[in-house]
Structures are given as structure tokens and as C-alpha cells.
Amino acid sequence: MDRPAPALSQVVLKTHSRCDLACDHCYVYEHADTSWRGRPRAVSQEILAASAARIADHARIHRLPTVHVVLHGGEPLLAGPVLLRRAAEELRRALAGISALDLRIHTNGVRLDEEFCELFRELGIRVGLSLDGDRASNDRHRRYADGRSSHAKVLDAVALLRRPRYRELFAGLLCTIDIENDPLAVYDALVALDPPRIDFLLPHATWDTPPPRPTGQATPYADWLDAVYRRWDAAGRPVPVRTFESVHRTLRGASSLTESLGLAPADLVVIETDGTYEQADSLKTSYDGAPATGLNVFEHSLDDVLRHPGVLARQKGIEALCAQCTACPVVESCGGGLYAHRYRTANGFDNPSVFCPDLLALITRIRTHEEVRTKTKAPTHEHTRPHEATAHAAVGEAAEMAEHPLEPGDFDELAAGFGGAATVRRLALAQLDLNRDLLAAVGGRVRPADGRATAAWELLVDLDAGAPQALDAALAHPYFRPWALGVLGADARGAPAAGLAELAASAALRARRADAVTVPLREGTLRLPGIGRALLPGDAEEAEVTAESYGFTVRSGGRRLRMGWGEGLDGRTAYWQPVRLVEADGWTVALEDTDPLRDRYEWPVADRLPAPGARAWAQGIAAAWSLIQRQLPAYAPGISAGLRVVTPLAPRLGGDTSATCRDAFGAIAAARPSGPDLLALLIVHEFQHVKLSAVLDVCDLYDPDDRGRYYAPWRDDPRPLGGLLQGTYAHLAVTDFWRVRRSAAEGPAARDRAQEEFARWRRQTTDAVDTLARSASLTASGKRFVAAMGETAAAWQAEQVPARALTGARDAARRHRDAWRARNAPRG
């Protein structure tokens, strides 16, 4: 995948160096490093200004779409509202026009009150809280210096953040594990608080001061987390858990969400209250002075920090790991664990994690659990379908075989127009099952005489047995299914070797398998779905692709080209065009402008974006995602769980353009709009189509034999029932967008427009729901689905709208219906 050049996109800015609690597991005050004693209590305004300038310079040089800053301590609330305001304003002023700012504060919560929340609401600062579970669990470590409990104060802080006015500020809960605490009691106490996210941290330890391990327990920390994992999974994964999600992501080849897992380069720097740069705070557990760099914001840039030996060591990925780690079967998921946990006085960090047995056990158990959960089936030659089968029949039979039908709660949640992370993940698993069945059907078309197709098929079978996550990742590419349906269509003949070989090569590369895969070229283009494309010189018809440790080799036309995920290792970047990944806050989405099979939309797709265009897209996506998280939080979890690809369309004059492909789950397409607010609207609108299409794959909502045509208030032409259902479902999100924008838009004119748009779309959507409900072709599930849509729309009817907007919506609806009737009246 396309990886940017090393940059520091995450900054921990210390605003206060002391704390009002005395937690005995704290890495700042209770471990080896004692540098906090000589630092000023509060950061100065001069250091804030210099820090903001350094961050902005770095963001400009590295063209960072988003900079993530955490205001930290000690306890940052001790800095007071005036200093925290100054910090936020300096950062926003410096980064204006350069990068989006994701600004957060991490606090113990005991001082959080309405004054702070109002400040954070004004400045767009999200709040993370530390809480170790129920009172008994939390009070084991998190007490005041005089021994008093902090638990009640933290619960008050959580209650404050759960108020509707402040809910969008709540970033999540962070819990440090103590194996003496009951894991289920801890988990249940945290989930009961309805946080947007939970993160479990292993306690800080090194080989010099190892963590407690009760006699007879080989992997007590894995056991503790496994108990939580099973409770979380059995409950339908009701809240994102960063630890578990990171394991899931790294097992399928994606990036981790935490520095304690995965092989991604370190991208974090700490700025202390005296203006010195330090490495991650966790290093304070290793030895006195471990995180120090000797650099400061007045004399050194962040690029100087990047060149520091300690930071460089964190950029090397698997190269920086000890021999035991590099030989480990879960190294790409574990990544050697947290860097600080590898320390031993005798040989520094050249060790596995002190939690190595636990990490190996936990990752292996999660991987096994996911394999059992998904009941993945290895494709075989015996699984065949008749050659005369149509693509629709293939989808129909595959849907009947899907292992992940919707649960009742999922159905109701989706029918209301929403769908959280757990629900959308189950939709994605059902889609993956369908894709596996379609692959099996394609395999049935392979003829023994077709050597290329047979070799690719045999490799796919082998990969499914040995590296199923890699195959799943390749199959999840949105444009796999349109290709498979084309192979299985009524007019198709055989199974094209190119598509199978491309899929096999993509899966083998993801698994880092050293198999040499011969892939037919498409007019000189090597297609690696979901990874990128190589535009190969000469007139060769095929290429041989082989994975290597840090990239892959392509042999074609007598040339041997070494390429990396981000660029050619030999510098020949003109040949290699990787899929670019946009890393937003808790969401990774691919900017797909390479796949030759992506052209599935009415409007033409854009060609490979030049670097400035890609940066503009990345900045737009980051800003749109920030808006969705803040203003449309009911949609954000589902989008982050299910939207994996944005395909740029060619620019269009005179209007915004977006689309979905019925069979490309996880992808939307759009021409880049003029601003992030419109892009946010396009994303929530089109992802509605993605969700509903996936629902229709596993559940009949209407009679497909209905040949009627229905009035859609937003169209000039009559629509089939399925088209009206899709449009109505999508416009629930459009209505909700404008409903929220009435208060979120900046300026009177923008707010007036939002009132008008809300009134118009509310009326149109309600009318469309009524039309659907009157149809005689809905199934029982369809009636239930439409009724839930109607309940969502009906709840908005009570919201006040200016009389002028109501009148305009009513008059526009009457004019549209009159014109529609005249246009579509029978002739003759």
C-alpha cells in the first residue's frame, strides 16, 4: 500500500507536568524516569507559540492532511481554561490552510466540569478519560495521594460527557489492566457507561521489572483479555475496542490503531512543558532519561527529531526486531509489542516484549476465533455451477448459503437508517461469504487445460488453507464481485486466467508468501487488486510477481523491477502506482485510482491522480470525516467499519457527482466537491446505498417481479420499486444532514439554506416512505423495514422550521408533482 514518507503526525503536548492523583502504576511518576521533577509545572505561552509553529512547518513540508494533537500531562486540566484555550488557538492559527487539526485532551476526569466542557465544545477538543473499571478495580491504583477514591468523580465526568450537549466531545475510555481485577466486572462496568470507544492497556513493565505473573499461569494477560474478548463478541461487539480492532486489522494486513501492535513506523513526538522534545512517554518505564532527545522547540524542527537515533530506530519496522520476533508467526500483528516493553539493561531493546507469551496467545486465539466465527470454506474444484447459470442466479444461490444473516437488532438498526460498527461488520462478513461462494463458482469454470488459471486456482486453495486472512482481504476488494459476476454471466465462457492470477498475486503479497505468481497483463498494466498497478515498459503480455520482505519483485519482458508498498525500492516510481491510503481518525480508506476494473459508474472515473490532487482528496476526506464524527455521530461508526474505498470520478461542471455500484460493497465513487461539508454529505448519502444493497443480498424486501413504476419526489422519471426504496433510504441521511446543519452551519445565509433543504428533504422523504408503504409488493421484512424508516422520518416532523421554509417545501413539492404528471401522462 502507499505509505507516506516518515513524518510525525501525532503530537502529545504537555500542558502541565503535575497530577492531582497518585496512581501507583503511572509511567510518568512511578517508574524509572525522574525528569518531571525539574520541569516547570505549566507550559508557557512562548513554548505554545513555538510548538505550534514547529508543528505547522512540519505539516506543510510533509503535506499532512491531518495533525493529531493530544493535550496531556501530568493532568492537563491543572493548566486551567485560559492556558488550554491559548494552546488550542495557537495550534488552529498556525495550521490554518495547512492541515486539519484533530485536537484532544486526555484527563483523569476528576476536575472536568461544565466550564471545561463548554470550552472544549467551543474549541472542538475531544475528551478521553482514564478509568480502570468498577469502583473496586479502579481504586486498586487510581487514588488521591491521601488514599481517597477517585471513582465517583470520574463517573461524574462520564455522565457530563454523555449529556446530549457534550456527547460529541466524548472520545472514549482508557483502562490499564490489572490481572487481579475481574475482567468481566471491568468490561461490564465500562460498557455500561456507553463510551464511543474503549482501550485496554497492558501495565508498563520491562525485563528488568517484569509484570506480575501468578504461579501456574503462563499467559495471564492473554487470559484476562480473552475473557473480555469473548464477552464483547458474544454481546455483538457493542462498542469499538481499540486493542481487539487493532488485532483484527493487522491480521488482515491493515494498519494498527495503537503503537503497541503492528509494524507501522512510529509517528509520535512529545513536547514537554519546558519545550523539549521527547519520544513516547512509555519509554519512561525503561530507564532514567530514556525518552530524551536533547532537542527543543526553539532550536530544532520536527525533522530534526525524525533524524534522532531513537526515533530512527522506531521507523525500521520488522528490521528493528530481534531474531525471535522476526521468526514469529504473528509478527506482523504483534510488531514486537510496545517498544518500551522490550527493554533489558544488558542489551537495550533487542528483545521480544516482556509480554511476548501473552501477545502470541492472544493474537492466535483471536485469529482462531475469527476463523471459526466466519466458518470460511476453502474453494474446491468440486464446488461447481452449471455453465448456463446467470450472474443473478449465482448471487441468489450464494446469498442463500451466507453464514452471517442479519440479527433482529441489526435489521432494526439498519431499517431506521443507521447501523453501528458491529452491525456493519456483520454485513461485511455476509458479503465476504458471498464472495467466497462466487469464487468457488468461478473455480468450477477452470479447465484443466488452462495452465495459467489452474496454477492460480491451486495457489488460491493453498492460500485459503495457510493464510485465510490474506485471501479474505483480497476478496474484500470491492471490484472482485463485479469481475466474478462477469465470469459467471450467461454469455461468459470459461474462467479468465487474468482475474484469478491477479487475485492470487494480491493474496500472496498480503501473506508475504514467496510464491512466484504469473499474471497476464491488461494492455501493459499489472493489476494487483487493492494494492496498486504497475505500468510496465515494453510489449510483454505477462509478469511474474514475487513477494519479498519489504516489497515485491516484478519480472517482465526481460526486466527485473523491485517495488515497495509505497514506491519502487530501486527508485523507478514511474512504473509503480500503489493504492493510496488516507488515514483519518479511526478510519482508513483507500483512494482507488489504479484498478482497471473500477470503471463501474455512469460518470467516468478519474485517471491516476497527480500528487497535488491526491493530497487535496486526502485533506478533503479528513475534514469531511471530522465533520461526520462531530455532527453525524450516528453514521460514523458504520462508515468506519464498512467504507473501505473511495473511487474518484472525473470532475464535472455544474454539479456534484457521486455513485455506488450495486455489487461493489465497501466502495463509493465521487467527483471531489467544492468543500468538506458537501463531501461529508456525499459520503453519508452513498454509504446508505452500500448498506441497503448488502441488506438486499441477504433479505428480500420486495417482490422482484413487480414491474410497476412509482413517483419519486426527487426524480423526473418514474422509478421501479427497488429504485424508490434505494433513493428513500439514501435520502434519510440527506435529510438528517441538513437537519443537523441548521445549527452547525456557519453564518445566517448558510443556516437559512439548511432550514430550506431540511424542510424540502423531510417532505420528500416522508412522501416517498408513504408511497413505499402503500405498495402491495413489499415482503413482511420489507414492510417492517419501511415502517422503521417511517418512524425515523416521523420523529423529525415535530422539529420547528421557519414558515418560509415550510411554504417553499410545500410549493416545490406541488410544482414537481404537477410537472411529473404532465411529463409522464399517457400519450394518445
Side-chain angles (χ1 to χ4, degrees):
M1 303 293 178
D2 193 9
R3 305 282 184 198
L8 297 169
S9 61
Q10 299 190 63
V11 180
V12 173
L13 181 58
K14 298 294 187 75
T15 60
H16 205 280
S17 66
R18 302 299 191 270
C19 190
D20 43 7
L21 293 184
C23 308
D24 59 17
H25 57 13
C26 179
Y27 53 74
V28 175
Y29 307 109
E30 301 295 334
H31 283 269
D33 187 80
T34 59
S35 58
W36 62 273
R37 298 181 186 277
R39 292 203 167 98
R41 289 178 176 268
V43 67
S44 70
Q45 294 185 1
E46 293 76 16
I47 289 172
L48 288 176
S51 299
R54 293 296 190 187
I55 293 168
D57 286 344
H58 191 71
R60 183 186 301 107
I61 292 168
H62 292 271
R63 297 183 173 91
L64 297 177
T66 304
V67 174
H68 307 272
V69 179
V70 179
L71 305 178
H72 214 288
E75 170 48 49
L77 296 186
L78 288 172
V82 174
L83 193 56
L84 293 177
R85 173 184 290 279
R86 180 64 179 266
E89 291 176 346
E90 288 284 0
L91 289 164
R92 295 204 181 279
R93 186 181 305 114
L95 287 165
I98 298 173
S99 299
L101 174 63
D102 173 24
L103 186 56
R104 303 184 179 218
I105 191 166
H106 194 89
T107 170
N108 59 37
V110 299
R111 291 176 179 265
L112 190 68
D113 57 17
E114 289 192 29
E115 180 184 3
F116 276 121
C117 285
E118 286 297 325
L119 176 70
F120 299 155
R121 187 169 182 267
E122 174 191 348
L123 298 173
I125 302 175
R126 300 183 70 196
V127 184
L129 292 174
S130 293
L131 180 64
D132 288 349
D134 58 295
R135 176 162 182 159
S137 300
N138 191 72
D139 286 354
R140 190 180 295 274
H141 300 287
R142 304 189 61 80
R143 291 177 173 271
Y144 288 93
D146 60 6
R148 286 179 296 130
S149 169
S150 66
H151 189 254
K153 291 278 190 180
V154 183
L155 291 190
D156 289 343
V158 174
L160 192 58
L161 290 173
R162 290 178 63 189
R163 291 185 191 175
R165 181 171 180 81
Y166 304 128
R167 178 72 189 186
E168 67 182 28
L169 302 179
F170 196 6
L173 297 175
L174 185 148
C175 170
T176 300
I177 297 167
D178 186 320
I179 55 175
E180 294 298 321
N181 291 330
D182 181 343
L184 300 185
V186 169
Y187 169 77
D188 290 344
L190 297 179
V191 170
L193 299 176
D194 190 26
R197 181 180 294 277
I198 298 172
D199 196 7
F200 291 106
L201 298 183
L202 291 168
H204 286 300
T206 68
W207 288 101
D208 293 344
T209 56
R213 289 188 182 277
T215 303
Q217 289 184 253
T219 57
Y221 297 91
D223 299 342
W224 197 97
L225 282 166
D226 185 56
V228 173
Y229 185 89
R230 292 175 183 277
R231 174 69 65 92
W232 173 73
D233 184 68
R237 304 180 179 185
V239 59
V241 177
R242 193 187 306 269
T243 312
F244 303 149
E245 289 190 328
S246 292
V247 174
H248 291 161
R249 288 169 61 90
T250 53
L251 284 173
R252 65 175 185 262
S255 60
S256 173
L257 301 174
T258 171
E259 66 170 334
S260 61
L261 292 167
L263 290 168
D267 61 353
L268 180 144
V269 65
V270 177
I271 300 178
E272 290 284 355
T273 56
D274 60 359
T276 55
Y277 294 116
E278 289 203 340
Q279 300 177 70
D281 271 347
S282 56
L283 285 171
K284 294 179 184 293
T285 64
S286 304
Y287 58 89
D288 200 5
T293 66
L295 309 175
N296 65 78
V297 296
F298 295 110
E299 299 173 321
H300 305 96
S301 69
L302 286 174
D303 279 285
D304 292 330
V305 178
L306 272 176
R307 291 187 284 269
H308 184 273
V311 177
L312 287 174
R314 307 289 302 284
Q315 303 289 325
K316 293 181 179 180
I318 199 169
E319 288 183 332
L321 301 182
C322 68
Q324 180 178 333
C325 286
T326 57
C328 178
V330 300
V331 63
E332 294 196 14
S333 186
C334 171
L338 192 68
Y339 190 71
H341 293 171
R342 306 173 202 166
Y343 182 74
R344 190 195 302 265
T345 300
N347 61 346
F349 298 94
D350 190 25
N351 304 287
S353 169
V354 72
F355 292 99
C356 177
D358 298 279
L359 292 171
L360 176 59
L362 177 67
I363 293 167
T364 302
R365 290 176 194 175
I366 289 177
R367 181 175 62 191
T368 301
H369 179 83
E370 290 300 293
E371 290 170 355
V372 172
R373 187 175 189 269
T374 59
K375 296 185 175 69
T376 52
K377 300 177 289 297
T380 65
H381 282 282
E382 287 71 29
H383 189 147
T384 60
R385 290 186 49 81
H387 281 230
E388 64 272 14
T390 64
H392 292 294
V395 172
E397 181 170 321
E400 292 175 5
M401 299 168 63
E403 298 288 343
H404 299 280
L406 291 175
E407 298 178 2
D410 295 338
F411 185 91
D412 294 337
E413 189 178 341
L414 290 162
F418 307 105
T423 294
V424 173
R425 275 192 289 268
R426 280 189 283 272
L427 274 183
L429 288 171
Q431 292 289 299
L432 180 60
D433 275 344
L434 292 177
N435 285 354
R436 281 184 156 270
D437 289 325
L438 289 173
L439 178 60
V442 170
R445 297 285 183 91
V446 173
R447 297 186 297 269
D450 188 343
R452 289 279 181 261
T454 299
W457 181 254
E458 290 175 350
L459 177 57
L460 286 167
V461 173
D462 190 35
L463 285 164
D464 192 41
Q469 291 84 11
L471 178 57
D472 285 349
L475 285 173
H477 182 55
Y479 302 116
F480 162 78
R481 188 181 298 179
W483 168 80
L485 294 177
V487 171
L488 298 170
D491 298 329
R493 294 293 183 269
L500 286 174
E502 291 164 345
L503 183 69
S506 175
L509 290 179
R510 293 172 188 275
R512 303 297 196 269
R513 289 264 300 246
D515 305 81
V517 187
T518 299
V519 183
L521 303 182
R522 298 175 184 269
E523 298 180 350
T525 298
L526 169 64
R527 173 181 178 260
L528 297 172
I531 296 176
R533 71 182 180 189
L535 307 178
L536 301 179
D539 55 0
E541 296 183 354
E542 61 186 25
E544 184 182 86
V545 182
T546 308
E548 294 183 346
S549 297
Y550 309 109
F552 57 96
T553 297
V554 175
R555 291 180 174 84
S556 178
R559 294 173 179 262
R560 179 177 182 271
L561 307 173
R562 297 184 66 227
M563 301 180 183
W565 299 113
E567 63 180 7
L569 296 181
D570 59 358
R572 295 173 181 168
T573 56
Y575 298 145
W576 175 231
Q577 296 180 345
V579 172
R580 297 175 170 114
L581 294 181
V582 178
E583 301 275 355
D585 176 24
W587 180 39
T588 301
V589 65
L591 197 60
E592 178 57 270
D593 57 0
T594 67
D595 194 330
L597 303 186
R598 72 190 186 280
D599 196 359
R600 302 281 167 181
Y601 307 97
E602 293 183 8
W603 193 256
V605 296
D607 201 356
R608 176 70 169 181
L609 298 171
R615 287 194 295 272
W617 261 107
Q619 291 168 353
I621 288 173
W625 177 240
S626 177
L627 185 149
I628 291 170
Q629 287 183 300
R630 288 182 285 106
Q631 299 179 15
L632 297 163
Y635 300 88
I639 290 171
S640 66
L643 183 54
R644 292 289 172 258
V645 166
V646 173
T647 296
L649 298 177
R652 178 183 180 185
L653 296 177
D656 298 309
T657 302
S658 62
T660 52
C661 171
R662 169 68 176 82
D663 298 308
F665 177 81
I668 67 169
R672 186 166 61 86
S674 57
D677 54 340
L678 292 180
L679 182 54
L681 174 58
L682 295 183
I683 289 172
V684 296
H685 170 200
E686 295 299 343
F687 193 64
Q688 294 289 94
H689 289 301
V690 172
K691 290 185 295 186
L692 182 54
S693 293
V695 170
L696 291 169
D697 277 340
V698 297
C699 184
D700 291 329
L701 299 183
Y702 60 90
D703 181 356
D705 292 330
D706 184 314
R707 297 292 182 263
R709 291 294 183 266
Y710 298 82
Y711 173 68
W714 50 83
R715 295 281 299 232
D716 293 333
D717 57 329
R719 302 296 292 156
L721 188 61
L724 179 61
L725 178 62
Q726 282 278 4
T728 308
Y729 191 69
H731 289 135
L732 279 177
V734 173
T735 307
D736 207 4
F737 173 87
W738 290 113
R739 183 183 72 87
V740 173
R741 294 292 290 174
R742 291 180 301 161
S743 58
E746 296 182 2
R751 287 192 289 272
D752 287 346
R753 184 201 170 190
Q755 292 281 15
E756 294 166 2
E757 294 285 355
F758 171 61
R760 178 167 70 94
W761 285 110
R762 181 177 66 175
R763 184 182 184 95
Q764 290 181 350
T765 304
T766 301
D767 289 349
V769 168
D770 291 342
T771 300
L772 287 168
R774 291 195 301 271
S775 166
S777 296
L778 295 178
T779 65
S781 294
K783 292 176 182 178
R784 180 173 151 202
F785 196 91
V786 170
M789 292 169 59
E791 289 175 4
T792 297
W796 296 331
Q797 295 298 322
E799 299 197 15
Q800 295 297 313
V801 175
R804 184 174 62 180
L806 286 174
T807 301
R810 184 186 64 243
D811 293 346
R814 184 181 63 252
R815 288 194 301 270
H816 184 272
R817 185 176 284 275
D818 290 345
W820 187 90
R821 287 171 173 163
R823 187 179 298 108
N824 295 286
R827 303 298 180 186

